[in-house]
Amino acid sequence: MATSDREAVAAALRDNESFVVTSHDNPDGDALGSLLATHLALGALGKDSVMVLGGPSMLPDEYRFLELQRRGLLREAPADADARVLVAVDCAQQSRVVATELFDRATLTVNVDHHHDNTRFGDVDLVVDEASSTAEVLADLFDDLGIALTPQIAEALYTAIVTDTGRFQYSNTTPKALRLAARLVEAGADVTKVFVEVYESTPFPKLKLLARALEHASELADGRIVISELRREDFDAAGAEEPYSEGIIDHLRAVDGAELVALVRELPPGASARRKGSLRSHPDGVDVSAIARSFGGGGHKRAAGFSTDLAMDEITHRILEAFVSENGDRAAS
């Protein structure tokens, strides 16, 4: 990480007065926690901040305790976006932001992220790809700005870190991430509350959707690949909303012997693509971000995603082909 990047971003936040904070489509815990933490931190600096997540889709139910709507979350660009600095958090590509007009209208774009394939789309960029999460990058930035960790900021950051590290079980769980988590708990983050809300408040339709994903799951390459799909009929039969697919792929990842797992879901009519894929691999497994980029997506080496209009058979073929090319002939059986 270049010190100048942090200095430039800190200066942009310190020297401007009005901001709009956004993150990527289909937001996860790091996106939503980082979004809220940045908004609250800007408020602590006395700045005028608004949060925007574009599109009509509901947010994942497990993050409702963050109370984003009550805190003023907008679903479209504010009327005065032309007068605001845009801060995009946890967003590797500009195209992942639904309210794309924010980029055209912003006076300055600040990009804060931890994805190794971030396209550096900001006027100023702070991308720390060795960080466990965007929240970890933000915590360092907040320290530079002298922002105290209130219980509200700490809880938002903790939510982001605990979800992006898989409850501190993924390979991105570093000593620094654990030390930061302890610091956030000391600052007032409620560990039990976050755990119960995120992991033990599952709506019943989400369980039914999980059952259908498990039913559709199949093994390839002697069980080294597990792939499943969710069709629109599965969402309808389960009575599940689109965000309920969040986290289902982690159940596929738990299959013994699986080195690469994929979940492909059919998107609703009117979406920008027909299907959306999520990819995961084990710590020493294939670089799934490279596979995702072949579909026009991206992400981390062990967790990535993409959108595509390809048929499911073609998606499966290309994933298998990429796995075989990296792992040799023994993967093709």
Side-chain angles (χ1 to χ4, degrees):
M1 172 183 55
T3 304
S4 59
D5 293 341
R6 248 169 70 177
E7 290 175 348
V9 170
L13 301 187
R14 186 186 300 111
D15 298 342
N16 291 279
E17 297 303 320
S18 297
F19 298 84
V20 55
V21 188
T22 193
S23 190
H24 59 77
D25 60 342
N26 301 115
D28 56 7
D30 194 17
L32 295 174
S34 295
L35 178 83
L36 177 58
T38 303
H39 172 68
L40 294 174
L42 288 169
L45 288 174
K47 310 297 184 178
D48 175 12
S49 170
V50 296
M51 298 178 287
V52 174
L53 284 175
S57 299
M58 64 176 285
L59 301 180
D61 200 53
E62 57 264 41
Y63 301 111
R64 64 187 180 279
F65 73 97
L66 294 175
E67 298 186 315
L68 292 168
Q69 280 82 5
R70 184 184 68 78
R71 298 177 190 273
L73 178 71
L74 303 177
R75 302 313 300 270
E76 58 185 23
D80 63 348
D82 311 72
R84 295 179 179 271
V85 171
L86 173 62
V87 183
V89 295
D90 196 47
C91 192
Q93 295 98 23
Q94 181 174 325
S95 59
R96 293 292 309 274
V97 174
V98 176
T100 54
E101 68 271 23
L102 289 172
F103 292 96
D104 298 327
R105 299 176 60 187
T107 60
L108 179 75
T109 297
V110 176
N111 168 29
V112 182
D113 189 31
H114 74 126
H115 293 89
H116 77 284
D117 60 349
N118 187 287
T119 58
R120 271 70 174 178
F121 56 82
D123 296 307
V124 287
D125 303 293
L126 176 55
V127 180
V128 186
D129 56 14
E130 68 267 24
S132 65
S133 55
T134 297
E136 182 180 311
V137 182
L138 288 169
D140 287 340
L141 183 62
F142 295 169
D143 286 343
D144 291 349
L145 290 166
I147 298 170
L149 289 176
T150 65
Q152 293 76 24
I153 294 175
E155 194 156 283
L157 292 174
Y158 182 83
T159 300
I161 292 173
V162 76
T163 53
D164 236 34
T165 59
R167 289 178 270 186
F168 306 109
Q169 297 176 84
Y170 297 162
S171 59
N172 60 334
T173 304
T174 62
K176 181 178 180 180
L178 293 170
R179 287 193 294 268
L180 175 57
R183 182 181 166 208
L184 296 173
V185 174
E186 290 172 344
D190 188 333
V191 173
T192 302
K193 173 187 172 184
V194 173
F195 175 77
V196 170
E197 292 288 351
V198 176
Y199 298 107
E200 291 191 340
S201 300
T202 304
F204 190 63
K206 181 169 182 173
L207 286 180
K208 294 172 69 176
L209 190 66
L210 169 61
R212 296 186 76 91
L214 296 177
E215 182 181 353
H216 295 322
S218 59
E219 293 180 310
L220 302 172
D222 288 337
R224 297 174 70 196
I225 299 174
V226 173
I227 189 166
S228 184
E229 67 173 318
L230 287 170
R231 310 178 188 102
R232 293 320 305 170
E233 62 201 59
D234 295 313
F235 284 89
D236 294 340
E241 301 287 346
E242 188 66 24
Y244 286 0
S245 61
E246 171 74 19
I248 285 178
I249 194 169
D250 294 319
H251 294 270
L252 302 177
R253 194 208 303 251
V255 175
D256 185 29
E259 299 174 24
L260 168 63
V261 298
L263 176 66
V264 180
R265 69 183 190 274
E266 185 181 1
L267 296 174
S272 59
R274 289 178 61 194
R275 292 177 175 84
K276 192 170 189 68
S278 297
L279 304 169
R280 301 289 186 272
S281 69
H282 281 185
D284 297 323
V286 63
D287 179 356
V288 293
S289 70
I291 299 176
R293 284 195 297 274
S294 75
F295 289 97
H300 302 293
K301 291 182 178 180
R302 305 293 165 240
F306 61 88
S307 299
T308 182
D309 289 326
L310 293 173
M312 187 65 195
D313 287 347
E314 177 63 18
I315 296 171
T316 301
H317 172 74
R318 288 177 58 173
I319 290 173
L320 177 59
E321 190 175 60
F323 184 78
V324 168
S325 69
E326 181 161 324
N327 288 274
D329 293 340
R330 72 187 185 94
S333 58

